[in-house]
Coordinates of all heavy atoms in Angstrom, one line a residue:
G278 N 109.0 78.6 103.2 CA 108.0 77.5 103.3 C 108.8 76.2 103.5 O 110.0 76.1 103.3
G279 N 108.0 75.3 104.0 CA 108.5 74.0 104.3 C 107.5 73.3 105.2 O 106.3 73.2 104.9
E280 N 108.0 72.9 106.4 CA 107.1 72.2 107.3 C 107.1 73.1 108.6 O 108.2 73.1 109.3 CB 107.5 70.8 107.5 CG 106.6 70.0 108.4 CD 105.2 70.0 108.0 OE1 104.9 69.8 106.8 OE2 104.3 70.2 108.9
S281 N 106.0 73.7 108.9 CA 106.1 74.7 110.0 C 106.4 74.1 111.4 O 107.1 74.7 112.2 CB 104.8 75.5 110.1 OG 103.7 74.7 110.4
C311 N 104.5 80.8 103.4 CA 103.8 79.5 103.6 C 104.1 79.1 105.1 O 103.6 79.7 106.0 CB 104.3 78.5 102.6 SG 103.1 77.2 102.4
A312 N 105.0 78.0 105.3 CA 105.3 77.6 106.7 C 105.8 78.8 107.4 O 105.6 79.0 108.6 CB 106.3 76.5 106.7
I315 N 103.1 80.7 108.8 CA 102.5 80.0 109.9 C 103.3 80.3 111.2 O 102.7 80.6 112.3 CB 102.4 78.5 109.7 CG1 101.5 78.3 108.4 CG2 101.9 77.7 110.9 CD1 101.5 76.8 107.9
R338 N 96.2 75.8 108.9 CA 97.2 75.0 108.2 C 96.5 74.1 107.2 O 95.4 73.6 107.5 CB 98.0 74.2 109.2 CG 99.0 74.9 110.0 CD 99.8 74.0 110.9 NE 100.7 73.1 110.1 CZ 101.2 72.0 110.6 NH1 100.9 71.6 111.8 NH2 101.9 71.3 109.8
N339 N 97.2 73.7 106.2 CA 96.7 72.8 105.2 C 95.3 73.0 104.8 O 94.4 72.1 104.8 CB 96.9 71.4 105.7 CG 98.4 71.1 106.0 OD1 99.3 71.5 105.3 ND2 98.6 70.4 107.1
I367 N 101.3 75.1 97.9 CA 101.7 73.7 98.3 C 101.3 73.5 99.7 O 101.9 74.0 100.6 CB 103.2 73.5 98.1 CG1 103.6 73.9 96.6 CG2 103.6 72.1 98.4 CD1 105.1 73.9 96.4
R368 N 100.3 72.6 99.9 CA 99.7 72.4 101.2 C 99.7 73.7 102.0 O 100.2 73.8 103.2 CB 100.6 71.3 102.0 CG 100.5 69.9 101.3 CD 101.2 68.9 102.0 NE 102.7 69.2 102.1 CZ 103.3 69.5 103.2 NH1 102.6 69.5 104.4 NH2 104.5 69.8 103.2
H404 N 104.2 80.2 97.3 CA 105.6 80.1 97.2 C 106.2 81.0 96.1 O 106.5 80.6 94.9 CB 106.0 78.7 96.8 CG 106.0 77.8 98.0 ND1 107.1 77.4 98.7 CD2 104.9 77.2 98.6 CE1 106.8 76.6 99.7 NE2 105.5 76.5 99.7
Ligands
LIG577 N1 101.5 72.7 105.3 C1 102.8 73.2 105.7 C2 102.8 73.4 107.2 O1 101.8 73.4 107.9 C3 103.2 74.4 105.0 C4 103.4 74.1 103.5 C5 104.4 74.9 102.9 O2 105.2 75.7 103.5 N2 104.5 74.7 101.6 O3 103.8 73.7 107.7

Side-chain angles (χ1 to χ4, degrees):
E280 183 54 46
S281 61
C311 204
I315 297 171
R338 289 182 64 199
N339 303 322
I367 303 171
R368 293 182 302 108
H404 281 262

